[in-house]
């Protein structure tokens, strides 16, 4: 059941893996919305570009979200104004509004059945402590000229203190959109290779990228669109991004107002209806990866039952997001010494417009040698480093790194099936899992990114790293980076650690 509606309802094309060495002007790593949109924009301009994806295009967070296309990203504008000034806040709105327009225009131009629909977005609170924040954000909306209103109610049976309504926002089918855009990019001469995982990255005038099957790619410019950068390039992204998981349940519901909504406080309540399917998506329960192992789906099902009196669950899935410490994405060159490597990451949970905005910015940097949004998204901003969030998250990484090494595994192998347990075998701490057919899988639990100890995630039957969010299935295969190398089994040598920093 843990498959997203978006992926189930858009099969898309399959693309062959790369089986020989490749030389290209532009290489895009990652086939989510950033990567595919960049491929589309570069090839539309007649440039020679190729894209590789470790699994399948659109199967990461681009196919596992709520399908909201909006420039209302929590109370982001007050935050940006406080750190970087009014003009930067306005720029953030402008580029996200342009991204929304891009989705609408491209859907029309190629006749994509992307379920694109315009509707208002609501940001509400049920907590008196947040009323002033919403008032402040509304004041900023007005100064920025955003079509919006301050409301006392929202059109669902939830008692709220107040809400901010942003008009002319949208929703769409992200995977159908991505699949169609990929097809168009290929028509324009772009190349896509799926099941092509990067295992090593050597920067240079010409970057050399090694893939799992031993083949090499030489590229003059590389766009790292792998969600969490698969290569750090001394940009210290590992210290600047917090990995979070969140959950979505889709419940049957006959009707719902034409709007989507989210609250400002925690725990988050996000609501988005799929009229074509008569399903309401209820999402939230976000937590740092590897930090909570609870039945998050059940909590969302209880919430749906409480508010809408429905318990007919049709879908459930989870997603991973990365959050910068000042809540603004990083888009542009990976660092100033590597002007031919670009990165886009840290979209918080607002990646649908932010990813398209990133693709626009990167394409402009490549084709026009600059972008008016370069400073807004630069990795050179210091407010993220000088923040409480930066200190808090990096202190936590240190605790996880050291604390994990002190843990002892259980001395006996458990009988239970389909549960991951840390065990001690001949003095070696291992991750043990017995599958439903009694096959036993034992892996080295040292994360191959920077060596933290992975933890069991019972909801998704995976080993998750609490430091930077890498995830591995119970056989040790990478599900989410930054780790590029799989966890070795008990019989193999110790895991190889490859942080891919320099
Ligand atoms: Fe960085 Fe595991 S993800 S150590």
């Amino acid at each position: 059941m843990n498959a997203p509606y978006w992926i189930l309802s858009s099969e898309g094309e399959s693309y062959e893996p790369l089986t020989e060495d490749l030389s290209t002007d532009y290489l895009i790593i990652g086939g989510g919305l950033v990567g595919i949109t960049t491929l589309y924009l570069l090839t539309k301009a007649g440039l020679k570009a190729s894209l590789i994806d470790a699994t399948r295009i659109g199967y990461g967070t681009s196919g596992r979200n709520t399908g909201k296309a909006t420039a209302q990203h929590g109370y982001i504008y007050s935050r940006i104004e406080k750190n970087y000034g009014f003009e930067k806040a306005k720029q953030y709105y402008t580029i996200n509004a342009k991204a929304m327009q891009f989705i609408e225009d491209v859907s029309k131009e190629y006749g994509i059945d992307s379920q694109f629909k315009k509707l208002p977005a609501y940001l509400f609170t049920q907590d008196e402590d947040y009323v002033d924040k919403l008032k402040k954000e509304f004041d900023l909306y007005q100064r920025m000229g955003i079509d919006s209103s301050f409301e006392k109610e929202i059109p669902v049976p939830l008692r709220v203190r107040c809400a901010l309504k942003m008009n002319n926002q949208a929703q769409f089918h992200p995977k159908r959109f991505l699949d169609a855009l990929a097809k168009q990019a290929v028509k324009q001469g772009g190349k896509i290779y799926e099941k092509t995982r990067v295992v090593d990255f050597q920067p240079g005038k010409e970057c050399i990228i090694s893939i799992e099957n031993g083949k090499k790619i030489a590229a003059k410019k590389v766009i790292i669109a792998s969600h969490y950068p698969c290569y750090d390039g001394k940009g210290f992204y590992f210290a600047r991004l917090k990995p979070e998981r969140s959950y979505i349940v889709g419940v049957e519901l006959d009707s719902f107002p034409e709007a989507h909504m989210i609250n400002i406080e925690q725990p988050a309540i996000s609501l988005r209806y799929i009229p074509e399917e008569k399903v309401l998506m209820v999402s939230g329960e976000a937590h740092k990866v590897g930090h909570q192992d609870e039945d998050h789906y059940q909590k969302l099902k209880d919430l749906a039952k409480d508010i809408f009196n429905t318990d007919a669950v049709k879908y459930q899935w989870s997603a991973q997001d990365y959050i910068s410490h000042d809540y603004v994405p990083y888009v542009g060159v990976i660092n100033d010494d590597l002007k031919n490597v670009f990165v886009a990451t840290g979209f918080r949970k607002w990646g649908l417009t932010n990813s398209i905005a990133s693709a626009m910015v990167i394409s402009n940097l490549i084709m026009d040698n600059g972008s008016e949004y370069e400073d807004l998204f630069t990795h050179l901003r210091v407010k993220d480093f000088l923040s409480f969030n930066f200190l808090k998250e990096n202190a936590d990484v240190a605790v996880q790194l050291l604390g994990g090494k002190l843990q002892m595994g259980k001395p006996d192998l458990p009988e239970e099936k389909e549960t991951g347990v840390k065990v001690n075998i001949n003095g070696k701490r291992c991750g043990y899992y017995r599958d439903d057919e009694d096959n036993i899988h034992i892996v080295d639990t040292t994360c191959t990114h920077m060596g933290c100890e992975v933890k069991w995630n019972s909801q998704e039957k995976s080993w998750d790293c609490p430091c930077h969010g890498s995830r591995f299935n119970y056989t040790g295969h990478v599900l989410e980076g930054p780790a590029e190398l799989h966890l070795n089994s008990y019989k193999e040598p110790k895991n190889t650690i490859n942080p891919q920093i320099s």
Side-chain angles (χ1 to χ4, degrees):
M1 190 192 236
N2 290 2
Y5 162 70
W6 312 121
I7 290 176
L8 292 174
S9 56
S10 182
E11 178 48 34
E13 302 284 320
S14 291
Y15 299 93
E16 292 298 315
L18 182 65
T19 53
E20 49 195 37
D21 291 345
L22 174 74
S23 175
T24 183
D25 290 343
Y26 301 93
L27 176 72
I28 299 159
I29 302 174
L33 263 178
V34 178
I36 295 294
T37 309
T38 308
L39 185 72
Y40 166 79
L41 292 172
L42 294 182
T43 52
K44 195 173 184 203
L47 301 179
K48 186 183 164 198
S50 301
L51 180 147
I52 57 173
D53 190 277
T55 57
R56 292 199 60 193
I57 63 165
Y59 271 58
T61 303
S62 292
R64 312 182 66 83
N65 49 69
T66 57
K68 291 180 183 177
T70 176
Q72 189 179 59
H73 300 172
Y75 58 108
I76 186 68
Y77 299 104
S78 311
R79 282 174 154 151
I80 298 178
E81 186 184 42
K82 183 169 165 239
N83 283 332
Y84 305 111
F86 176 76
E87 285 308 321
K88 290 281 183 290
K90 203 167 171 186
Q91 275 196 318
Y92 184 94
Y93 173 76
T94 307
I95 188 75
N96 276 282
K98 279 186 184 173
M100 240 185 311
Q101 192 61 48
F102 176 91
I103 299 165
E104 184 176 11
D105 292 347
V106 167
S107 297
K108 275 191 194 143
E109 185 176 351
Y110 301 111
I112 304 170
D113 179 19
S114 68
Q115 300 176 353
F116 184 88
K117 187 176 186 53
K118 281 214 163 149
L119 37 64
Y122 286 86
L123 178 64
F124 67 89
T125 185
Q126 297 178 291
D127 184 337
E128 192 59 39
D129 290 348
Y130 286 86
V131 171
D132 281 348
K133 277 193 176 11
L134 280 188
K135 282 184 178 162
K136 209 172 146 200
E137 188 78 355
F138 180 57
D139 171 62
L140 194 43
Y141 279 16
Q142 292 193 304
R143 283 189 280 133
M144 288 163 60
I146 298 175
D147 180 3
S148 57
S149 55
F150 195 80
E151 305 284 338
K152 286 277 172 227
E153 293 176 344
I154 57 173
V156 295
L158 263 180
R159 187 170 294 172
V160 302
R161 297 282 175 189
C162 59
L164 267 188
K165 182 184 181 191
M166 193 185 269
N167 293 313
N168 288 316
Q169 303 305 289
Q171 61 187 33
F172 74 122
H173 190 309
K175 177 76 166 41
R176 232 175 245 177
F177 179 81
L178 180 146
D179 287 336
L181 202 61
K183 218 168 156 180
Q184 181 58 29
V186 170
K187 266 193 205 158
Q188 294 169 177
K191 302 264 186 266
I192 297 178
Y193 303 96
E194 294 186 322
K195 296 184 185 152
T196 300
R197 179 180 293 282
V198 173
V199 291
D200 191 50
F201 189 110
Q202 294 301 327
K205 212 164 170 207
E206 192 169 60
C207 298
I208 305 295
I209 291 93
S210 305
I211 58 174
E212 212 166 18
N213 62 7
K215 302 297 173 196
K216 291 198 188 312
I217 306 170
K220 294 192 182 97
K221 289 197 163 98
V222 179
I223 297 98
I224 299 180
S226 54
H227 206 196
Y228 191 112
C230 63
Y231 166 68
D232 191 85
K234 292 187 191 142
F236 295 96
Y237 295 94
F238 63 87
R240 302 169 119 185
L241 294 168
K242 176 186 174 189
E244 274 197 5
R245 288 200 78 68
S246 52
Y247 303 81
I248 296 176
V249 296
V251 291
E252 290 177 18
L253 197 66
D254 282 342
S255 64
F256 190 80
E258 288 200 352
H260 52 65
M261 46 206 78
I262 189 167
N263 63 344
I264 190 171
E265 64 268 26
Q266 293 295 328
I269 305 172
S270 165
L271 305 171
R272 194 287 212 191
Y273 192 57
I274 311 172
E276 296 80 1
E277 190 71 3
K278 290 198 178 303
V279 159
L280 174 69
M281 287 184 284
V282 182
S283 53
E285 287 294 310
H287 63 85
K288 191 171 177 188
V289 177
H291 281 62
Q292 275 180 30
D293 188 22
E294 297 167 14
D295 195 345
H296 299 285
Y297 291 119
Q298 191 55 49
K299 287 188 181 174
L300 292 174
K301 289 172 196 170
D302 292 346
L303 188 67
K305 174 86 177 151
D306 279 358
I307 306 173
F308 299 102
N309 197 25
T310 173
D311 51 13
V313 178
K314 208 163 167 190
Y315 303 100
Q316 65 179 39
W317 68 87
S318 63
Q320 188 142 323
D321 291 282
Y322 296 97
I323 302 163
S324 67
H325 299 313
D326 63 359
Y327 304 99
V328 178
Y330 296 106
V331 183
V333 291
I334 197 162
N335 84 34
D336 272 17
D337 299 332
L338 285 174
K339 298 266 193 213
N340 61 342
V341 182
F342 300 84
V343 73
T345 188
F347 302 143
R348 214 155 46 113
K349 296 179 200 308
W350 301 106
L352 290 179
T353 53
N354 265 324
S355 57
I356 290 170
S358 304
M360 291 171 165
V361 171
I362 290 174
S363 305
N364 285 144
L365 288 172
I366 288 172
M367 295 189 283
D368 307 331
N369 253 335
S371 159
E372 59 186 302
Y373 302 98
E374 207 172 338
D375 288 349
L376 170 65
F377 295 122
T378 179
H379 67 287
L380 293 174
R381 26 184 229 268
V382 289
K383 287 274 167 75
D384 59 337
F385 266 116
L386 301 176
S387 68
F388 170 73
N389 287 346
F390 176 85
L391 296 173
K392 188 177 117 194
E393 295 308 330
N394 285 289
D396 176 61
V397 168
V399 168
Q400 298 298 333
L401 185 58
L402 296 172
K405 302 296 168 205
L406 300 175
Q407 280 171 10
M408 292 297 291
K410 292 189 176 176
D412 302 318
L413 299 185
E415 290 293 317
E416 290 169 88
K417 286 185 184 176
E418 298 187 69
T419 302
V421 181
K422 293 269 183 76
V423 294
N424 239 332
I425 303 175
N426 296 334
K428 195 171 160 187
R429 189 179 44 241
C430 305
Y432 170 95
Y433 181 84
R434 185 192 293 257
D435 69 22
D436 57 352
E437 288 172 352
D438 268 334
N439 301 308
I440 288 172
H441 307 270
I442 305 176
V443 295
D444 180 341
T445 51
T446 302
C447 177
T448 57
H449 175 229
M450 285 190 182
C452 289
E453 277 294 301
V454 296
K455 294 183 178 177
W456 182 244
N457 173 346
S458 64
Q459 296 287 292
E460 302 175 81
K461 304 209 183 312
S462 58
W463 294 104
D464 295 359
C465 182
C467 287
H468 313 105
S470 293
R471 297 181 58 240
F472 307 85
N473 70 9
Y474 57 76
T475 64
H477 280 256
V478 177
L479 296 172
E480 299 262 2
E484 288 167 354
L485 304 173
H486 306 306
L487 301 178
N488 284 344
S489 79
Y490 167 68
K491 289 183 186 149
E492 292 172 314
K494 276 184 168 184
N495 289 342
T496 304
I497 293 172
N498 184 4
Q500 286 283 7
I501 290 177
S502 56

